Amino acid sequence: MLDIRPVLLVIGALLSVLGVAMFIPALIDLALGDAQWRVFAASGAVTLFVGGGLWLATRKGRVEFTRRQAFMMTVLTWASLSAFGALPFLWSGVVPTYTDAFFESMSGITTTGSTVMSGLDGMQAGILLWRGILQWLGGLGVIVMAIAVLPMLQVGGMQLFQAESFSTAEKILPRATQISAGLTALYILFTVICGSLYYSAGMTALDATVHGMTTVATGGLSSHDASIGHYGSARIELIAIVFMILGSLPFILYIQAMRGQWKRLFIDSEIRTFFMLLALFISIATFYAIETNTFTGIEALRHSAFNVVSVMTGTGYASTDYQLWGPFTIAFFFFIMFIGGCQGSTACGLKVFRLQVMFQVLKQHINRIVFPNGVFVKRYSGYPLADNVSAAVMSYFFLYVVSFLVLAILLQMTGLDFVTSLSGAGTAIANVGPGVGHIIGPSGNFQPLNDVAKWLLAFGMLLGRLELLTVLVLFLPSFWRE
Amino acid sequence: MLDIRPVLLVIGALLSVLGVAMFIPALIDLALGDAQWRVFAASGAVTLFVGGGLWLATRKGRVEFTRRQAFMMTVLTWASLSAFGALPFLWSGVVPTYTDAFFESMSGITTTGSTVMSGLDGMQAGILLWRGILQWLGGLGVIVMAIAVLPMLQVGGMQLFQAESFSTAEKILPRATQISAGLTALYILFTVICGSLYYSAGMTALDATVHGMTTVATGGLSSHDASIGHYGSARIELIAIVFMILGSLPFILYIQAMRGQWKRLFIDSEIRTFFMLLALFISIATFYAIETNTFTGIEALRHSAFNVVSVMTGTGYASTDYQLWGPFTIAFFFFIMFIGGCQGSTACGLKVFRLQVMFQVLKQHINRIVFPNGVFVKRYSGYPLADNVSAAVMSYFFLYVVSFLVLAILLQMTGLDFVTSLSGAGTAIANVGPGVGHIIGPSGNFQPLNDVAKWLLAFGMLLGRLELLTVLVLFLPSFWRE
Ligand SMILES: [K+]
Ligand SMILES: [K+]
């Protein structure tokens, strides 16, 4: 029998944190004299009651996880947090159904940023803040999970980063609990700096707080329907670019940088590739924006840089509707959104290191074709790449494509059109936010979709955020066999 | 210095064959009293002159191929045959430009079946026949190439089939020249039987000939604008289903079956998987056609079976416009078209064995995640699967996806809409034929596209037909280094 006590213990503890977090918007609404503070207080009380109860009932005994418990814990934690995080949306009446509330909550906590809400500009402060807090907590959860849980589960080649010995040849594996504190402090620091810069650039305190949280989390939820485009400010866009990028780099390297290993930030192979890809895509977008007379000169660079960074990192802020830039940009932005950022960051998507590994495997294959008698070693970051790691990465890619296709077909079965199905599936699994087309494109939202589609998309977000396999193994009979 | 004499010798010989083939439509048009026989006679004369000249100039000396020569020979042969196969289309005036003629010719010889022509129902017999002959020759070329050339080049995991010892444990490697004759005889036999059945089911002699050739080649060009839907005959559709499937199975197994090894046709792992996939997809399509009240009962099964077989094998005949079946079918058919048939058949696409290999790698990865202490061997057809083969297959898949994405982006840059770009790229690389949407969908054609798009698509067809890498290595500097 599987012992679910430790699983429930973690869920209880994290639900309690979520419950406490709900009192922040409650206090803000109360301070602003908005009666809606009661919704947050009630949601917080319920969540805290359930979470605290679970925690109290299970806290006795040792806390150790078998692999099966770790998988269950990861998936059930994210699902429960979404379920309870939805309460304020439902009880405040800003969305009509629990489906919508759950969608918004899942979109928040997975840092996806797809929304079923509109009319944000006149919305109560508490709700806007809550969306920001959900994404912020989700982003923090992802960083901790990527360092503490995923390498142990060896999902999709993440064992590459298991001991850090791979790229440093040092035997320092900082324990999850030790580094979690450092990561959290750093994450708070980034958020505070980003929010302060936004404030100094002209945002209101509320907007600066919400955008600070959703930028560092590469989440992309905004407190305005027009997203960052609301401000039309190059300075704000520049701040966003810098912090979206900072959110997409491996957080563990910041910790090491603070310990004096600055150089690693500049020699890390994944970071270099990430910047090379950004530079390439920004150049292409700028060139075409000028070529098609959409923008001129520095304006073309500004909008290209912002939108490429926003889409590739999976943040999903919009400054202008890139669908209006001319015909080429739609497929271009649709495809770069699958890439995402670096491992161990708040960004989602395929991750840059997987692209690098696949490119290495392809290079080896091509070399073997051209020089059948040669011996070719594939390398990552200078070190030989084990076959089981590259096989894991390639399998992950295969599963990523298949999951996308199956989700797109299921979405179309619910009655959505081809473009909405395709881009909806992509934006959910890559945790980007907006899709393509007139319904869920950068200037639309997910409200008009049917309920089944919303549940499917919410599942797709969870799937993408937890690196697919973490969720999918739970559906395998062999996983449950004694 | 690379000696291109043997390369030119093969090109010369095959151009001569193509030139001779042009006299067949010439004779038919002459017999029918159509003045257009002169176009074919002139095209044939020019092609034969160039081909024969090349052959005469290079026939002295030994014919041996280094790997580099083999790659060059393969790519240049297909390109030259397309270039000369285009002459009758241009000179007869059925298409306005050489771009269109080359597109039609490349689409024919790669067995893709995308067309820039309409008004087929009133077209001269010679032209219709020529499109059939191009596809038929292309289909034969692919089978011979898959057995004689590709395993030697080890492209995309084809070394799995290099010695046949893999799946038989026998040491019989039939030499290319020996088996080519057997394959050709069998291919002719299939075509004759298929054409005769079509004729007995009510097609005219011309239609039966053209469709016989394009069915066995899984090519899909028709002598009617409405494709097979023109006849509205369940009997004709059934014949088409049987021979599209026969064209999608490994031809080498037919040869072995004729030598008494019947059983292998039924135990071959790729064939079984191919049929399982067909059964699965036909069931899904039938279920939804009934569920959405598009068709009832046996009619639902009929149209589902025909269209699933036609799209998955990459034949591309249309019986009805499946885009009108309801919302779900577009993404569904769009995705199954990437699969294709078995290796060593006339079908293109990813190929079933690659899906099997990737599934095995994924299974191994999942097993390793769930049971980190277990030892898991991946197998194909009962035999252990070497890491270099699975890496080759996974690389191929990665490259397949990347090629599709890049082609789609380039197509959109030329000004095509999102759906046309996406489905055009897919249908070209998978050699299917029709795309999705109101321009290039099952009831449209490729005429309205711009010239750059047509050249890009023609290149995509060649890329897909020659298993990507055969073409792409030629662009590598390392390939040309001494
Ligand atoms: K996002
Ligand atoms: K075809």
Side-chain angles (χ1 to χ4, degrees), chain A residues 262-281:
Chain A
W262 281 101
K263 275 190 196 160
R264 293 200 47 204
L265 273 173
F266 299 94
I267 59 167
D268 183 78
S269 145
E270 189 179 22
I271 293 181
R272 290 166 78 116
T273 309
F274 176 72
F275 278 105
M276 273 166 47
L277 289 174
L278 274 185
L280 173 70
F281 296 140

Side-chain angles (χ1 to χ4, degrees), chain A residues 203-285:
Chain A
M203 279 193 189
T204 65
L206 174 70
D207 284 3
T209 310
V210 170
H211 285 98
M213 291 193 287
T214 63
T215 304
V216 174
T218 63
L221 282 176
S222 173
S223 42
H224 295 285
D225 286 337
S227 189
I228 293 283
H230 172 80
Y231 305 99
S233 154
R235 191 165 154 204
I236 285 178
E237 287 164 27
L238 191 62
I239 299 166
I241 289 174
V242 170
F243 283 87
M244 288 190 282
I245 290 176
L246 284 176
S248 305
L249 301 183
F251 271 65
I252 191 79
L253 290 189
Y254 297 135
I255 301 274
Q256 292 176 340
M258 292 197 300
R259 288 186 188 148
Q261 297 173 299
W262 281 101
K263 275 190 196 160
R264 293 200 47 204
L265 273 173
F266 299 94
I267 59 167
D268 183 78
S269 145
E270 189 179 22
I271 293 181
R272 290 166 78 116
T273 309
F274 176 72
F275 278 105
M276 273 166 47
L277 289 174
L278 274 185
L280 173 70
F281 296 140
I282 292 173
S283 308
I284 295 175

Side-chain angles (χ1 to χ4, degrees), chain A residues 146-219:
Chain A
I147 283 160
V149 182
L150 289 182
M152 178 185 118
L153 301 184
Q154 308 208 331
V155 166
M158 287 295 280
Q159 61 265 48
L160 247 177
F161 307 98
Q162 189 159 21
E164 276 300 295
S165 58
F166 182 85
S167 40
T168 60
E170 295 169 68
K171 281 264 173 189
I172 310 165
L173 170 62
R175 301 248 338 141
T177 41
Q178 286 175 288
I179 58 166
S180 292
L183 286 173
T184 309
L186 189 72
Y187 188 71
I188 293 173
L189 183 69
F190 278 179
T191 311
V192 170
I193 298 175
C194 179
S196 308
L197 289 172
Y198 277 144
Y199 184 72
S200 74
M203 279 193 189
T204 65
L206 174 70
D207 284 3
T209 310
V210 170
H211 285 98
M213 291 193 287
T214 63
T215 304
V216 174
T218 63

Side-chain angles (χ1 to χ4, degrees), chain B residues 50-67:
Chain B
V50 174
L54 270 179
W55 182 75
L56 284 172
T58 55
R59 87 202 136 99
K60 292 254 170 68
R62 297 168 62 193
V63 181
E64 280 180 354
F65 288 94
T66 65
R67 292 177 70 79

Side-chain angles (χ1 to χ4, degrees), chain B residues 111-113 135 218-220 314-316 431-433:
Chain B
T111 77
T112 304
Q135 290 214 314
T218 62
T315 308
N431 284 186
V432 175

Side-chain angles (χ1 to χ4, degrees), chain A residues 107 110-114 135 214 217-221 310 313-317 346 348 427 430-434 465:
Chain A
S107 167
T110 57
T111 76
T112 303
S114 304
Q135 290 213 314
T214 63
T218 63
L221 282 176
S310 173
T313 63
T315 308
Y317 285 138
T346 64
C348 189
T427 203
N431 284 185
V432 175
R465 186 72 279 185

